[in-house]
Amino acid sequence: MGRADKVILAYSGGVDTSVCIPYLKEEWGVKEVITLAADLGQGDELGPIQKKALDSGASESLVIDGKERFVTDYAFPSIQANALYESRYPLSTALARPMIAKMLVEAAEKYGADAVAHGCTGKGNDQVRFDVGIAALNPSLKVLAPAREWGMSREETIAYGEKFGIPSPVKKSSPFSIDRNLLGRSIEAGPLEDPMVEPPEEIFAMTQAIADTPNEPDYVEIGFEQGIPVSLDGRALGPIALITELNDRVGGHGIGRIDMVENRVVGIKSREIYEAPALLVLIQAHRDLESLTLTADVTQYKQTIEQTYTNLVYQGLWYSPLKTALDAFVKQTQERVSGVVRVKLFKGSASIVGRRSDLSIYSPDLATYTADDQFDHKAAEGFIYIWGLPTRVWAEKTR
Ligand code: ARG
């Protein structure tokens, strides 16, 4: 008896996921492996990937375009929640995993598979996100993770693959481990494992080195409707076009790099380099528009919600009851977060230099220091008396 009959395998075209195909069949008695390559804008050519899967023994090789759903259903809600893990990482990789989990489960249901599989190792966050995501979407499916169990070194993996006609990588493989999609790139391993080592310029692909950025600033006006970015400089754009164009414009000014040591779910600290130009600027601009359109108490309370939300997403709990409840809170707060934010892009930094909204609750009549001032200054005195009363009483009793 094998571990499963028919398996949908999350497939990237790399050696490790390719080796999973014969491994599942030979070692774990799986009768049929169907691969699924999710196109989330990683920029790989998907035609060759399809052939590779079939050559490695897959019975069928699916390539599914998930870009629009990825941005609309995962990135946009995360922007509404201003989600930055440990105040810095905009979850560009983390958001892709629940999307892929959903695509795997949908394929398993469509093709009558009894299990899904992925090529994650046992040290990362992604295995947690896949396993928990899949369990939440369809708890009757088995999850197989061969690379978590096989215990082969890189060389052994390549040698195992060669036995089944999987070609070993032609060029000397890069020391870096890179994950990429439309939202960003995550780069780790190799020399970066020393947190003191400066990231070499060649690892970056979405952001310019400051030395090569224009000497004139660029200004971009980002339009939001109910917390969702919908236009650049007054031009309405669909989700994919908006992210793509903004990545280029922002990245061209050297904006969007992050270098951090982060705390993984499995307890390990890891040094990670990120590029996420559009996503970072969208969160910055969105938060700014909220400052114009939300009340003080909602703005401040939302920050605690945002932190919990971000941790849930990072930790693989996208499909969880608490996350669903927080989604409802965030969605409710976004009703009036519509308007335009003006961002200046220059030499590695994005600065918000203006914002406007028809739904603004900023009141010039109250804020102004000119003769137009409508604020009742005399009312301040009584307010301060009552506001400070407990402190005054305390001081009188204790001095
Ligand atoms: N640490 C990030 C996360 O957990 C990214 C991991 C992606 N993998 C990589 N090869 N860099 O979301």
Side-chain angles (χ1 to χ4, degrees), residues 89 93-94 125-126 129 177-179 186-188 262 272 274 314:
Y89 163 45
T93 290
N125 294 320
D126 289 334
R129 297 169 184 152
S177 158
I178 300 172
D179 178 72
S186 306
I187 309 128
E188 62 184 352
E262 74 189 31
E272 195 90 42
Y274 297 105
Y314 184 87

Side-chain angles (χ1 to χ4, degrees), residues 26 33 35 40-41 107 125 164 170 175-176 231 233 237 261 310 326 334-335 366:
E26 301 298 320
V33 177
T35 59
L40 301 186
N125 294 320
F164 296 94
V170 267
F176 304 106
S231 68
D233 297 325
L237 290 170
V261 174
T310 305
L326 299 187
Q334 299 301 293
E335 241 177 355
L366 292 175

